[in-house]
Amino acid sequence: MEEDLMKLLAPIFLSLILTIVISVRGIKHGSLKTLLTATILNGVILLAGFIWLWSSAPDGLVQLIQAGIYGISFFFILAINIVIVFIGKKLL
């Protein structure tokens, strides 16, 4: 059970960490380009994790729950990146 939970959460944490790093580093370069890069990276990592878990999920209900978790995670990580970029832009 713990191993399955780690497989589910690993892409979410990886996406969160990488997109935050990109957002913080890209504050000076421009908000739209930084947000676009972070969003694409976020989507690719979560999509890869979703496809990987989708193929190993035993049940349709589990697959539906995974899709919901990754979808919600995508929007929360995107919101975090937007806040970082716009607050960082105002502070600089």
Side-chain angles (χ1 to χ4, degrees):
M1 181 70 179
E2 291 175 11
E3 185 178 321
D4 292 336
L5 183 62
M6 288 305 297
K7 286 181 183 178
L8 178 70
L9 296 179
I12 295 170
F13 288 128
L14 178 66
S15 177
L16 177 65
I17 291 168
L18 288 178
T19 56
I20 286 175
V21 168
I22 287 173
S23 294
V24 170
R25 287 181 147 196
I27 288 173
K28 295 178 185 177
H29 299 292
S31 59
L32 185 60
K33 183 179 177 183
T34 302
L35 283 176
L36 185 61
T37 304
T39 302
I40 290 172
L41 181 66
N42 181 15
V44 167
I45 292 172
L46 291 178
L47 183 63
F50 174 72
I51 291 171
W52 177 49
L53 287 175
W54 183 274
S55 63
S56 65
D59 188 1
L61 182 61
V62 173
Q63 293 172 340
L64 182 65
I65 292 171
Q66 287 171 313
I69 290 171
Y70 282 138
I72 292 168
S73 299
F74 176 80
F75 287 110
F76 275 124
I77 293 171
L78 179 62
I80 290 169
N81 290 327
I82 289 171
V83 168
I84 288 172
V85 168
F86 287 124
I87 289 178
K89 195 80 162 167
K90 289 181 181 180
L91 293 176
L92 293 177

Coordinates of all heavy atoms in Angstrom, one line a residue:
M1 N 0.8 -1.2 0.0 CA 0.0 0.0 0.0 C 0.9 1.3 0.0 O 0.6 2.2 -0.7 CB -0.9 -0.1 1.2 CG -1.9 1.1 1.3 SD -3.1 1.0 0.0 CE -4.0 2.4 0.4
E2 N 1.9 1.3 0.8 CA 2.8 2.4 0.9 C 3.5 2.6 -0.4 O 3.8 3.8 -0.8 CB 3.7 2.3 2.1 CG 3.1 2.4 3.4 CD 4.1 2.1 4.5 OE1 5.3 2.1 4.3 OE2 3.6 2.0 5.7
E3 N 3.9 1.6 -1.0 CA 4.6 1.6 -2.3 C 3.7 2.2 -3.4 O 4.2 3.0 -4.2 CB 5.1 0.3 -2.7 CG 6.0 0.3 -4.0 CD 6.5 -1.1 -4.3 OE1 6.9 -1.9 -3.4 OE2 6.5 -1.4 -5.5
D4 N 2.5 1.8 -3.4 CA 1.5 2.4 -4.4 C 1.3 3.9 -4.2 O 1.2 4.6 -5.1 CB 0.2 1.6 -4.3 CG 0.3 0.2 -4.8 OD1 1.2 -0.1 -5.5 OD2 -0.5 -0.6 -4.3
L5 N 1.2 4.3 -2.9 CA 1.1 5.7 -2.6 C 2.3 6.5 -3.0 O 2.1 7.6 -3.6 CB 0.8 5.9 -1.1 CG 0.5 7.3 -0.6 CD1 -0.7 7.8 -1.3 CD2 0.4 7.4 0.9
M6 N 3.5 6.0 -2.9 CA 4.7 6.6 -3.3 C 4.7 6.7 -4.8 O 5.2 7.8 -5.4 CB 5.9 5.9 -2.8 CG 6.1 6.1 -1.3 SD 6.2 7.8 -0.8 CE 7.6 8.4 -1.6
K7 N 4.3 5.7 -5.5 CA 4.2 5.8 -7.0 C 3.2 6.8 -7.4 O 3.5 7.5 -8.5 CB 3.8 4.4 -7.5 CG 4.8 3.3 -7.5 CD 4.3 2.1 -8.1 CE 5.3 0.9 -8.0 NZ 4.8 -0.3 -8.5
L8 N 2.2 7.0 -6.7 CA 1.2 8.0 -7.1 C 1.7 9.4 -6.8 O 1.5 10.3 -7.6 CB -0.1 7.8 -6.3 CG -1.2 8.8 -6.5 CD1 -1.8 8.6 -7.9 CD2 -2.3 8.6 -5.5
L9 N 2.4 9.6 -5.7 CA 2.8 11.0 -5.2 C 4.1 11.4 -5.8 O 4.4 12.6 -5.9 CB 2.8 11.1 -3.7 CG 1.5 10.9 -3.0 CD1 1.7 11.0 -1.5 CD2 0.5 11.9 -3.5
A10 N 5.0 10.5 -6.2 CA 6.3 10.9 -6.7 C 6.2 11.8 -7.9 O 6.9 12.9 -7.9 CB 7.1 9.6 -7.1
P11 N 5.4 11.6 -9.0 CA 5.3 12.6 -10.1 C 4.8 13.9 -9.6 O 5.2 15.0 -10.1 CB 4.4 11.9 -11.1 CG 4.4 10.5 -10.8 CD 4.6 10.4 -9.3
I12 N 3.9 13.9 -8.7 CA 3.3 15.2 -8.2 C 4.4 16.0 -7.5 O 4.6 17.2 -7.8 CB 2.1 14.9 -7.2 CG1 1.0 14.3 -8.0 CG2 1.7 16.2 -6.6 CD1 -0.1 13.8 -7.1
F13 N 5.2 15.4 -6.6 CA 6.2 16.2 -5.9 C 7.3 16.6 -6.9 O 7.9 17.7 -6.8 CB 6.8 15.3 -4.7 CG 5.9 15.2 -3.6 CD1 5.5 14.0 -3.0 CD2 5.3 16.4 -3.0 CE1 4.7 13.9 -2.0 CE2 4.4 16.3 -2.0 CZ 4.1 15.1 -1.4
L14 N 7.7 15.7 -7.8 CA 8.7 16.0 -8.8 C 8.3 17.2 -9.6 O 9.0 18.2 -9.8 CB 9.0 14.8 -9.7 CG 10.0 15.1 -10.8 CD1 11.4 15.3 -10.2 CD2 10.0 13.9 -11.7
S15 N 7.0 17.2 -10.1 CA 6.5 18.3 -10.9 C 6.5 19.6 -10.0 O 6.8 20.7 -10.5 CB 5.1 18.0 -11.3 OG 4.5 19.1 -12.0
L16 N 6.0 19.5 -8.8 CA 6.0 20.7 -7.9 C 7.4 21.3 -7.7 O 7.6 22.5 -7.9 CB 5.4 20.3 -6.6 CG 5.3 21.4 -5.5 CD1 4.4 22.5 -6.0 CD2 4.9 20.9 -4.2
I17 N 8.3 20.5 -7.4 CA 9.7 21.0 -7.2 C 10.3 21.6 -8.4 O 10.8 22.7 -8.4 CB 10.6 19.9 -6.6 CG1 10.1 19.5 -5.2 CG2 12.0 20.3 -6.6 CD1 10.7 18.3 -4.6
L18 N 10.2 20.9 -9.5 CA 10.8 21.4 -10.8 C 10.2 22.7 -11.3 O 10.8 23.6 -11.7 CB 10.8 20.3 -11.9 CG 11.8 19.2 -11.7 CD1 11.6 18.2 -12.8 CD2 13.2 19.7 -11.6
T19 N 8.9 22.8 -11.2 CA 8.2 23.9 -11.7 C 8.4 25.1 -10.8 O 8.4 26.3 -11.2 CB 6.7 23.7 -12.0 OG1 6.1 23.2 -10.8 CG2 6.5 22.7 -13.1
I20 N 8.5 24.9 -9.5 CA 8.9 26.0 -8.6 C 10.3 26.5 -8.9 O 10.5 27.7 -8.9 CB 8.7 25.6 -7.1 CG1 7.2 25.5 -6.7 CG2 9.4 26.5 -6.2 CD1 6.9 24.9 -5.4
V21 N 11.2 25.6 -9.1 CA 12.6 26.1 -9.4 C 12.6 26.9 -10.7 O 13.2 27.9 -10.8 CB 13.5 24.8 -9.5 CG1 14.8 25.2 -10.2 CG2 13.7 24.2 -8.2
I22 N 11.8 26.4 -11.7 CA 11.8 27.2 -13.0 C 11.1 28.5 -12.8 O 11.5 29.5 -13.3 CB 11.0 26.3 -14.0 CG1 11.9 25.2 -14.5 CG2 10.6 27.2 -15.2 CD1 11.2 24.2 -15.4
S23 N 10.0 28.6 -12.0 CA 9.3 29.8 -11.7 C 10.2 30.8 -11.0 O 10.3 32.0 -11.3 CB 8.1 29.6 -10.9 OG 7.2 28.8 -11.7
V24 N 11.0 30.4 -10.0 CA 11.8 31.3 -9.2 C 13.0 31.8 -10.1 O 13.3 33.0 -10.1 CB 12.3 30.6 -8.0 CG1 13.4 31.4 -7.3 CG2 11.2 30.3 -7.0
R25 N 13.6 30.9 -10.9 CA 14.7 31.3 -11.8 C 14.2 32.2 -12.9 O 15.0 33.0 -13.4 CB 15.4 30.1 -12.4 CG 16.2 29.3 -11.4 CD 16.8 28.2 -12.1 NE 18.1 27.9 -11.4 CZ 19.1 27.2 -11.9 NH1 18.9 26.7 -13.1 NH2 20.2 27.0 -11.3
G26 N 13.0 32.0 -13.3 CA 12.5 32.8 -14.5 C 11.8 34.1 -14.2 O 11.2 34.7 -15.1
I27 N 11.7 34.5 -12.9 CA 11.0 35.7 -12.6 C 11.6 36.9 -13.3 O 10.8 37.7 -13.8 CB 11.1 35.9 -11.0 CG1 10.2 34.9 -10.3 CG2 10.6 37.3 -10.7 CD1 10.3 34.9 -8.8
K28 N 12.9 37.0 -13.4 CA 13.5 38.1 -14.1 C 13.3 38.2 -15.6 O 13.3 39.2 -16.2 CB 15.0 38.1 -13.8 CG 15.3 38.3 -12.3 CD 16.8 38.3 -12.1 CE 17.2 38.3 -10.6 NZ 18.6 38.2 -10.4
H29 N 13.1 37.0 -16.2 CA 13.1 36.9 -17.7 C 11.7 37.3 -18.3 O 11.7 37.7 -19.4 CB 13.5 35.5 -18.1 CG 14.9 35.1 -17.7 ND1 16.0 35.7 -18.2 CD2 15.3 34.2 -16.8 CE1 17.1 35.2 -17.7 NE2 16.7 34.3 -16.8
G30 N 10.7 37.1 -17.6 CA 9.4 37.4 -18.1 C 8.4 36.4 -17.6 O 8.6 35.2 -17.5
S31 N 7.2 36.9 -17.2 CA 6.2 36.1 -16.6 C 5.6 35.1 -17.5 O 5.3 34.0 -17.1 CB 5.2 37.0 -15.9 OG 4.6 37.8 -16.8
L32 N 5.2 35.5 -18.7 CA 4.5 34.6 -19.6 C 5.3 33.5 -20.1 O 4.9 32.3 -20.0 CB 3.9 35.4 -20.8 CG 3.1 34.6 -21.8 CD1 1.8 34.1 -21.0 CD2 2.7 35.5 -22.9
K33 N 6.6 33.7 -20.4 CA 7.4 32.7 -20.9 C 7.7 31.7 -19.7 O 7.7 30.5 -19.9 CB 8.8 33.2 -21.4 CG 9.7 32.2 -21.9 CD 11.0 32.9 -22.5 CE 11.9 31.8 -22.9 NZ 13.2 32.4 -23.4
T34 N 7.9 32.2 -18.6 CA 8.2 31.4 -17.4 C 7.0 30.5 -17.0 O 7.1 29.3 -16.8 CB 8.6 32.2 -16.2 OG1 9.7 33.0 -16.5 CG2 8.9 31.4 -15.0
L35 N 5.8 31.1 -17.1 CA 4.6 30.4 -16.8 C 4.3 29.3 -17.8 O 3.9 28.2 -17.5 CB 3.4 31.3 -16.6 CG 3.3 32.1 -15.4 CD1 2.1 33.0 -15.4 CD2 3.1 31.1 -14.2
L36 N 4.6 29.6 -19.1 CA 4.3 28.6 -20.1 C 5.3 27.4 -20.0 O 4.9 26.3 -20.1 CB 4.5 29.3 -21.5 CG 4.2 28.4 -22.7 CD1 2.8 28.0 -22.7 CD2 4.5 29.2 -24.0
T37 N 6.6 27.7 -19.7 CA 7.5 26.7 -19.5 C 7.2 25.8 -18.3 O 7.2 24.6 -18.4 CB 9.0 27.3 -19.4 OG1 9.2 28.1 -20.5 CG2 10.0 26.2 -19.2
A38 N 6.9 26.4 -17.2 CA 6.5 25.7 -16.0 C 5.2 24.8 -16.2 O 5.1 23.7 -15.8 CB 6.4 26.6 -14.8
T39 N 4.3 25.4 -16.9 CA 3.0 24.7 -17.2 C 3.2 23.5 -18.1 O 2.7 22.4 -17.8 CB 2.0 25.6 -17.8 OG1 1.8 26.7 -16.9 CG2 0.7 24.9 -18.0
I40 N 4.0 23.6 -19.1 CA 4.3 22.5 -20.0 C 5.0 21.4 -19.3 O 4.7 20.2 -19.4 CB 5.1 23.0 -21.2 CG1 4.2 23.8 -22.1 CG2 5.6 21.8 -22.0 CD1 4.8 24.5 -23.3
L41 N 6.0 21.8 -18.5 CA 6.8 20.8 -17.7 C 5.9 20.1 -16.7 O 5.9 18.9 -16.6 CB 8.0 21.5 -17.0 CG 8.8 20.5 -16.1 CD1 9.5 19.5 -17.0 CD2 9.8 21.3 -15.3
N42 N 5.0 20.9 -16.0 CA 4.1 20.3 -15.1 C 3.2 19.3 -15.8 O 3.0 18.2 -15.3 CB 3.3 21.5 -14.5 CG 2.2 21.0 -13.5 OD1 2.3 19.9 -13.0 ND2 1.3 21.9 -13.2
G43 N 2.6 19.7 -16.9 CA 1.8 18.8 -17.7 C 2.4 17.5 -18.2 O 1.9 16.4 -18.1
V44 N 3.7 17.6 -18.6 CA 4.4 16.5 -19.2 C 4.7 15.5 -18.0 O 4.5 14.3 -18.2 CB 5.7 16.9 -19.9 CG1 6.6 15.8 -20.2 CG2 5.3 17.6 -21.2
I45 N 5.2 16.0 -16.9 CA 5.5 15.1 -15.8 C 4.3 14.4 -15.3 O 4.3 13.2 -15.0 CB 6.2 15.9 -14.7 CG1 7.6 16.3 -15.1 CG2 6.4 15.0 -13.4 CD1 8.3 17.2 -14.2
L46 N 3.2 15.1 -15.1 CA 2.0 14.5 -14.5 C 1.3 13.6 -15.6 O 0.8 12.5 -15.2 CB 1.0 15.6 -14.1 CG 1.4 16.4 -12.9 CD1 0.4 17.5 -12.5 CD2 1.6 15.5 -11.7
L47 N 1.4 13.9 -16.8 CA 0.9 13.0 -17.9 C 1.7 11.7 -17.9 O 1.1 10.6 -18.0 CB 0.9 13.7 -19.2 CG 0.3 12.9 -20.4 CD1 -1.2 12.6 -20.1 CD2 0.4 13.6 -21.7
A48 N 3.0 11.8 -17.8 CA 3.8 10.6 -17.8 C 3.5 9.7 -16.6 O 3.4 8.5 -16.7 CB 5.3 11.0 -17.8
G49 N 3.4 10.4 -15.4 CA 3.0 9.6 -14.2 C 1.7 9.0 -14.3 O 1.4 7.8 -13.9
F50 N 0.7 9.7 -14.9 CA -0.6 9.2 -15.1 C -0.6 8.0 -16.1 O -1.3 7.0 -15.8 CB -1.5 10.3 -15.6 CG -2.9 9.8 -16.0 CD1 -3.8 9.5 -15.0 CD2 -3.3 9.7 -17.3 CE1 -5.1 9.1 -15.3 CE2 -4.6 9.3 -17.6 CZ -5.5 9.0 -16.6
I51 N 0.1 8.1 -17.2 CA 0.1 7.0 -18.1 C 0.8 5.8 -17.5 O 0.3 4.6 -17.7 CB 0.8 7.4 -19.4 CG1 -0.1 8.4 -20.2 CG2 1.1 6.2 -20.3 CD1 0.6 9.1 -21.3
W52 N 1.8 6.0 -16.8 CA 2.5 4.9 -16.1 C 1.6 4.2 -15.1 O 1.5 3.0 -15.1 CB 3.8 5.4 -15.4 CG 4.6 4.4 -14.6 CD1 5.0 3.2 -15.1 CD2 5.0 4.6 -13.3 NE1 5.7 2.6 -14.1 CE2 5.7 3.4 -13.0 CE3 5.0 5.6 -12.4 CZ2 6.3 3.2 -11.8 CZ3 5.6 5.4 -11.2 CH2 6.2 4.2 -10.9
L53 N 0.9 5.0 -14.3 CA 0.0 4.3 -13.3 C -1.2 3.8 -13.9 O -1.8 2.8 -13.4 CB -0.3 5.3 -12.2 CG 0.8 5.6 -11.2 CD1 0.4 6.8 -10.3 CD2 1.2 4.4 -10.4
W54 N -1.7 4.4 -15.0 CA -2.9 3.9 -15.7 C -2.7 2.5 -16.2 O -3.6 1.7 -16.1 CB -3.2 4.9 -16.8 CG -4.5 4.5 -17.6 CD1 -4.6 3.6 -18.6 CD2 -5.8 5.0 -17.3 NE1 -5.9 3.6 -19.0 CE2 -6.7 4.4 -18.3 CE3 -6.3 6.0 -16.4 CZ2 -8.0 4.7 -18.3 CZ3 -7.6 6.2 -16.5 CH2 -8.5 5.6 -17.4
S55 N -1.5 2.2 -16.7 CA -1.3 0.9 -17.3 C -1.1 -0.2 -16.2 O -1.3 -1.3 -16.4 CB 0.0 0.9 -18.1 OG 1.1 1.2 -17.3
S56 N -0.8 0.3 -15.0 CA -0.6 -0.7 -13.9 C -1.8 -0.8 -12.9 O -1.8 -1.5 -12.0 CB 0.6 -0.4 -13.1 OG 0.5 0.8 -12.4
A57 N -2.8 0.1 -13.1 CA -4.0 0.1 -12.2 C -4.9 -1.1 -12.5 O -5.2 -1.4 -13.6 CB -4.8 1.4 -12.4
P58 N -5.3 -1.7 -11.4 CA -6.1 -2.9 -11.5 C -7.6 -2.7 -11.8 O -8.3 -3.6 -12.3 CB -6.0 -3.6 -10.2 CG -5.8 -2.5 -9.2 CD -5.0 -1.5 -10.0
D59 N -8.1 -1.5 -11.6 CA -9.5 -1.3 -11.6 C -9.8 0.1 -12.3 O -9.0 1.0 -12.3 CB -10.0 -1.3 -10.2 CG -11.5 -1.2 -10.1 OD1 -12.2 -1.2 -11.1 OD2 -12.0 -1.2 -8.9
G60 N -11.0 0.2 -12.9 CA -11.4 1.4 -13.5 C -11.6 2.5 -12.6 O -11.4 3.7 -12.8
L61 N -12.1 2.2 -11.4 CA -12.4 3.2 -10.3 C -11.0 3.8 -9.9 O -10.9 5.0 -9.7 CB -13.1 2.6 -9.2 CG -13.5 3.6 -8.0 CD1 -14.4 4.7 -8.5 CD2 -14.2 2.8 -6.9
V62 N -10.0 3.0 -9.7 CA -8.7 3.4 -9.3 C -8.2 4.4 -10.4 O -7.6 5.4 -10.1 CB -7.8 2.3 -9.1 CG1 -6.3 2.7 -8.8 CG2 -8.2 1.4 -7.9
Q63 N -8.4 4.1 -11.6 CA -7.9 4.9 -12.7 C -8.6 6.3 -12.7 O -8.0 7.3 -12.9 CB -8.1 4.2 -14.1 CG -7.2 3.0 -14.2 CD -7.6 2.2 -15.5 OE1 -8.7 2.3 -16.0 NE2 -6.6 1.4 -15.9
L64 N -9.9 6.3 -12.4 CA -10.7 7.5 -12.3 C -10.2 8.4 -11.2 O -10.0 9.6 -11.3 CB -12.1 7.2 -12.2 CG -13.1 8.4 -12.1 CD1 -13.1 9.1 -13.5 CD2 -14.5 7.9 -11.8
I65 N -9.9 7.8 -10.1 CA -9.4 8.5 -8.9 C -8.0 9.1 -9.2 O -7.7 10.2 -8.9 CB -9.3 7.6 -7.6 CG1 -10.8 7.3 -7.2 CG2 -8.6 8.3 -6.5 CD1 -10.9 6.2 -6.1
Q66 N -7.1 8.3 -9.9 CA -5.8 8.8 -10.3 C -6.0 10.0 -11.2 O -5.2 11.0 -11.1 CB -5.0 7.7 -11.0 CG -4.5 6.6 -10.1 CD -3.9 5.5 -10.9 OE1 -4.5 5.1 -11.9 NE2 -2.8 5.1 -10.5
A67 N -6.9 9.9 -12.2 CA -7.1 11.0 -13.1 C -7.5 12.3 -12.3 O -7.0 13.4 -12.6 CB -8.1 10.7 -14.1
G68 N -8.4 12.1 -11.4 CA -8.8 13.3 -10.5 C -7.7 13.9 -9.7 O -7.5 15.1 -9.6
I69 N -6.9 13.0 -9.1 CA -5.8 13.5 -8.3 C -4.8 14.2 -9.1 O -4.3 15.3 -8.8 CB -5.1 12.3 -7.5 CG1 -6.0 11.8 -6.5 CG2 -3.8 12.7 -6.9 CD1 -5.6 10.5 -5.8
Y70 N -4.4 13.7 -10.3 CA -3.4 14.4 -11.2 C -4.0 15.7 -11.7 O -3.3 16.6 -11.9 CB -2.9 13.5 -12.3 CG -1.9 12.5 -11.8 CD1 -1.9 11.2 -12.2 CD2 -0.9 12.9 -10.9 CE1 -0.9 10.3 -11.8 CE2 0.1 12.0 -10.5 CZ 0.0 10.7 -10.9 OH 1.0 9.8 -10.5
G71 N -5.3 15.7 -12.1 CA -5.9 16.9 -12.6 C -5.9 18.0 -11.6 O -5.6 19.2 -11.8
I72 N -6.3 17.7 -10.3 CA -6.3 18.7 -9.3 C -4.9 19.1 -9.0 O -4.7 20.3 -8.8 CB -7.0 18.1 -8.0 CG1 -8.5 17.9 -8.3 CG2 -6.8 19.0 -6.8 CD1 -9.2 17.1 -7.2
S73 N -4.0 18.2 -9.0 CA -2.6 18.6 -8.7 C -2.1 19.5 -9.8 O -1.3 20.5 -9.5 CB -1.7 17.3 -8.7 OG -2.1 16.5 -7.7
F74 N -2.4 19.3 -11.0 CA -2.0 20.2 -12.1 C -2.4 21.6 -11.8 O -1.6 22.5 -12.0 CB -2.5 19.7 -13.4 CG -2.2 20.6 -14.6 CD1 -1.0 20.5 -15.2 CD2 -3.1 21.5 -15.1 CE1 -0.6 21.4 -16.3 CE2 -2.8 22.3 -16.1 CZ -1.6 22.2 -16.7
F75 N -3.7 21.8 -11.5 CA -4.2 23.1 -11.3 C -3.6 23.8 -10.0 O -3.4 25.0 -10.0 CB -5.7 23.1 -11.3 CG -6.3 22.9 -12.7 CD1 -6.9 21.8 -13.0 CD2 -6.1 23.9 -13.6 CE1 -7.4 21.6 -14.3 CE2 -6.6 23.7 -14.9 CZ -7.2 22.6 -15.3
F76 N -3.4 23.0 -8.9 CA -2.8 23.6 -7.7 C -1.4 24.0 -8.0 O -0.9 25.1 -7.5 CB -2.9 22.6 -6.6 CG -4.1 22.6 -5.8 CD1 -4.9 21.5 -5.6 CD2 -4.6 23.8 -5.2 CE1 -6.1 21.5 -4.9 CE2 -5.8 23.9 -4.5 CZ -6.5 22.7 -4.4
I77 N -0.6 23.2 -8.7 CA 0.8 23.5 -9.0 C 0.8 24.7 -9.9 O 1.7 25.6 -9.8 CB 1.5 22.3 -9.6 CG1 1.7 21.2 -8.6 CG2 2.9 22.7 -10.1 CD1 2.2 19.9 -9.1
L78 N -0.1 24.8 -10.9 CA -0.2 26.0 -11.8 C -0.5 27.2 -10.9 O 0.1 28.3 -11.2 CB -1.2 25.8 -12.8 CG -1.4 26.9 -13.8 CD1 -0.2 27.2 -14.6 CD2 -2.6 26.6 -14.7
A79 N -1.4 27.1 -10.0 CA -1.7 28.3 -9.2 C -0.5 28.7 -8.3 O -0.3 29.9 -8.2 CB -2.9 28.0 -8.3
I80 N 0.2 27.8 -7.8 CA 1.4 28.1 -7.0 C 2.4 28.8 -7.9 O 3.0 29.8 -7.5 CB 2.0 26.8 -6.4 CG1 1.1 26.3 -5.3 CG2 3.4 27.1 -5.9 CD1 1.5 24.9 -4.8
N81 N 2.6 28.4 -9.1 CA 3.6 29.0 -10.0 C 3.1 30.4 -10.4 O 3.9 31.3 -10.5 CB 3.8 28.2 -11.3 CG 4.5 26.9 -11.0 OD1 5.4 26.9 -10.1 ND2 4.2 25.8 -11.7
I82 N 1.8 30.6 -10.6 CA 1.3 32.0 -10.9 C 1.6 32.9 -9.8 O 2.1 34.0 -10.0 CB -0.2 31.9 -11.3 CG1 -0.3 31.2 -12.6 CG2 -0.8 33.3 -11.3 CD1 -1.8 30.9 -13.0
V83 N 1.3 32.5 -8.6 CA 1.6 33.3 -7.4 C 3.1 33.6 -7.3 O 3.4 34.8 -7.0 CB 1.0 32.6 -6.1 CG1 1.5 33.3 -4.9 CG2 -0.5 32.6 -6.2
I84 N 3.9 32.6 -7.5 CA 5.4 32.9 -7.3 C 5.8 33.9 -8.4 O 6.6 34.8 -8.0 CB 6.1 31.6 -7.5 CG1 6.0 30.7 -6.3 CG2 7.6 31.8 -7.7 CD1 6.5 29.3 -6.5
V85 N 5.4 33.7 -9.6 CA 5.9 34.6 -10.7 C 5.4 36.1 -10.5 O 6.1 37.0 -10.5 CB 5.5 34.1 -12.1 CG1 5.7 35.1 -13.1 CG2 6.2 32.8 -12.4
F86 N 4.1 36.2 -10.2 CA 3.5 37.6 -10.1 C 4.0 38.3 -8.8 O 4.2 39.5 -8.8 CB 2.0 37.6 -10.2 CG 1.6 37.3 -11.6 CD1 0.8 36.3 -12.0 CD2 2.1 38.1 -12.7 CE1 0.4 36.0 -13.3 CE2 1.8 37.9 -14.0 CZ 0.9 36.8 -14.3
I87 N 4.1 37.6 -7.7 CA 4.6 38.2 -6.4 C 6.1 38.5 -6.6 O 6.5 39.5 -6.1 CB 4.3 37.3 -5.2 CG1 2.8 37.3 -4.9 CG2 5.0 37.8 -4.0 CD1 2.3 36.4 -3.8
G88 N 6.8 37.5 -7.2 CA 8.2 37.8 -7.4 C 8.5 38.9 -8.3 O 9.4 39.7 -8.1
K89 N 7.6 39.1 -9.3 CA 7.8 40.2 -10.3 C 7.5 41.5 -9.5 O 8.2 42.5 -9.8 CB 6.8 40.0 -11.4 CG 7.0 40.8 -12.6 CD 8.1 40.2 -13.4 CE 8.1 40.8 -14.8 NZ 9.2 40.5 -15.5
K90 N 6.6 41.6 -8.6 CA 6.3 42.8 -7.9 C 7.4 43.1 -6.9 O 7.7 44.3 -6.6 CB 5.0 42.7 -7.2 CG 3.8 42.7 -8.1 CD 2.5 42.6 -7.4 CE 1.3 42.6 -8.4 NZ 0.0 42.5 -7.7
L91 N 8.0 42.1 -6.3 CA 9.1 42.3 -5.4 C 10.4 42.8 -6.0 O 11.2 43.5 -5.4 CB 9.3 41.1 -4.5 CG 8.2 40.7 -3.6 CD1 8.6 39.3 -3.0 CD2 7.9 41.7 -2.6
L92 N 10.6 42.5 -7.3 CA 11.8 42.9 -8.0 C 11.5 44.2 -8.6 O 11.7 45.1 -8.9 CB 12.2 41.9 -9.0 CG 12.7 40.5 -8.4 CD1 13.0 39.6 -9.6 CD2 13.9 40.7 -7.6

